[in-house]
Amino acid sequence: MKLNSKISIIIPVLLIVAAIAFAGCTGTGTGTAAPTQTTAPTASPVQTTSAEQITLTVFTAASLTGAFTDVGEKYMAENENVNVENVFDGSQALRTQIEQGAQPDIFVSANQKHMNALVDEGYMDNDTVQLFLENSLAVIVPADNPAKIQNLSDLANSGVKIVMGTKDVPFGSYTRQILGKMANSSEYGQDYVDAVYGNVISEETSVSTVVPKLLLGEADAAFVYKSDVSKDYGDKIIQIEIPEEYNVLAKYPLGILADSKQKDEAEDFIEFVRGDEGSAILKSYGFDPIPE
């Protein structure tokens, strides 16, 4: 009895061991490890070198809208890593924005008053501030000239509608200086100037709004910069010269902001503005570049 019971235990164990051995030889068991996935070595990405893209923000007097748009486009065509972003407005408005926290790289003013204020307040890199451009004023009337204005004396005629700048914007300040000279002259006098002021229907904060207003028939005449009479308006506007003895020579300064993080690039742009290509564009808009 003892022998039979041992056999009954040994035989099932042997059968189990044999089954396991057979499965191992055939490799069909569920415990077989999945083959390791191998991949070809990945090539390292090609290292490319390109200049960092930079945006230069230029706060620019509105009277330079056409000229600096062209200057910026020309400069970017030759410097693909630089984006020149002009912000055009009246010089006093741009100065106020800077005083309130705006951080352009370059400020271009239509007069020295607003630049000097920023210099005195410590906003400018003073060593970079320089005069670079001159301009003067003219009177313009629309080509159909409904008020029949032929000369400066006609500005005092009853019913003439005149547009000029506010006293705070450079072209408005220059206009008042011109009228002041005329008031002190024997040819015009104070009565003439009073009549001209009496005909003013609008005082603009930016010269860029004056010509459109004139062309829309909202005014008969306007005081603007000579540079505002661009070739685009050649057949739409008549220009009346203001004699040199009464006229004012507007001088434009530009400079780099003290907090600019891109002074090297800003200096390069200013060199371009004052160079041959920049000067040629400015001249085409009626400005007189000041030689370096």
Side-chain angles (χ1 to χ4, degrees):
M1 292 293 293
K2 290 181 179 178
L3 179 62
N4 291 338
S5 62
K6 288 180 178 178
I7 291 173
S8 63
I9 293 172
I10 290 171
I11 290 175
V13 171
L14 290 175
L15 289 174
I16 291 171
V17 170
I20 292 173
F22 179 75
C25 291
T26 58
T28 57
T30 56
T32 304
T36 302
Q37 296 294 325
T38 59
T39 56
T42 302
S44 300
V46 176
Q47 298 296 320
T48 59
T49 57
S50 59
E52 181 184 359
Q53 195 69 26
I54 290 170
T55 295
L56 276 180
T57 303
V58 185
F59 273 19
T60 310
S63 55
L64 286 162
T65 299
F68 260 58
T69 297
D70 288 356
V71 169
E73 290 176 354
K74 184 70 174 177
Y75 182 80
M76 287 188 288
E78 298 182 14
N79 298 271
E80 295 182 352
N81 66 314
V82 180
N83 177 46
V84 177
E85 186 174 281
N86 281 301
V87 177
F88 297 108
D89 206 335
S91 298
Q92 90 293 344
L94 298 172
R95 168 190 160 189
T96 300
Q97 290 181 48
I98 292 171
E99 291 172 335
Q100 293 180 347
Q103 295 183 328
D105 297 292
I106 297 172
F107 175 49
V108 185
S109 177
N111 71 2
Q112 293 176 270
K113 172 185 174 182
H114 298 298
M115 178 64 82
N116 290 344
L118 293 180
V119 167
D120 293 341
E121 293 165 355
Y123 289 101
M124 302 301 300
D125 182 341
N126 296 350
D127 291 339
T128 69
V129 176
Q130 53 196 288
L131 293 173
F132 78 110
L133 203 62
E134 292 177 340
N135 202 357
S136 56
L137 273 68
V139 170
I140 57 173
V141 299
D144 57 353
N145 197 6
K148 302 186 184 312
I149 298 170
Q150 303 299 321
N151 51 53
L152 296 180
S153 295
D154 292 338
L155 295 178
N157 293 344
S158 177
V160 171
K161 296 178 291 186
I162 299 174
V163 174
M164 64 170 62
T166 67
K167 61 181 178 56
D168 296 321
V169 295
F171 84 102
S173 174
Y174 293 137
T175 299
R176 284 162 176 77
Q177 292 177 45
I178 290 169
L179 292 174
K181 292 182 180 182
M182 297 176 83
N184 293 326
S185 72
S186 58
E187 183 177 2
Y188 293 98
Q190 187 63 53
D191 289 344
Y192 163 83
V193 172
D194 289 342
V196 170
Y197 276 123
N199 284 337
V200 174
I201 61 163
S202 176
E203 295 185 10
E204 303 294 311
T205 58
S206 174
V207 71
S208 59
T209 63
V210 175
V211 174
K213 184 163 288 191
L214 195 76
L215 295 179
L216 287 172
E218 297 179 16
D220 300 314
F223 287 88
V224 296
Y225 293 110
K226 293 175 69 174
S227 59
D228 289 309
V229 189
S230 69
K231 52 185 178 295
D232 295 335
Y233 298 127
D235 59 346
K236 300 175 183 175
I237 286 176
I238 298 171
Q239 180 175 319
I240 298 174
E241 295 288 336
I242 299 174
E244 187 175 344
E245 62 186 296
Y246 304 121
N247 215 327
V248 174
L249 191 62
K251 295 188 176 183
Y252 288 59
L254 81 174
I256 301 172
L257 275 293
D259 289 339
S260 171
K261 302 296 189 295
Q262 303 169 136
K263 290 187 178 179
D264 289 343
E265 292 78 7
E267 287 179 4
D268 190 68
F269 178 71
I270 288 175
E271 286 182 11
F272 181 84
V273 170
R274 304 206 64 185
D276 292 342
E277 292 178 278
S279 294
I281 294 172
L282 292 167
K283 284 180 180 178
S284 73
Y285 278 87
F287 293 99
D288 297 318
I290 298 173
E292 290 189 81

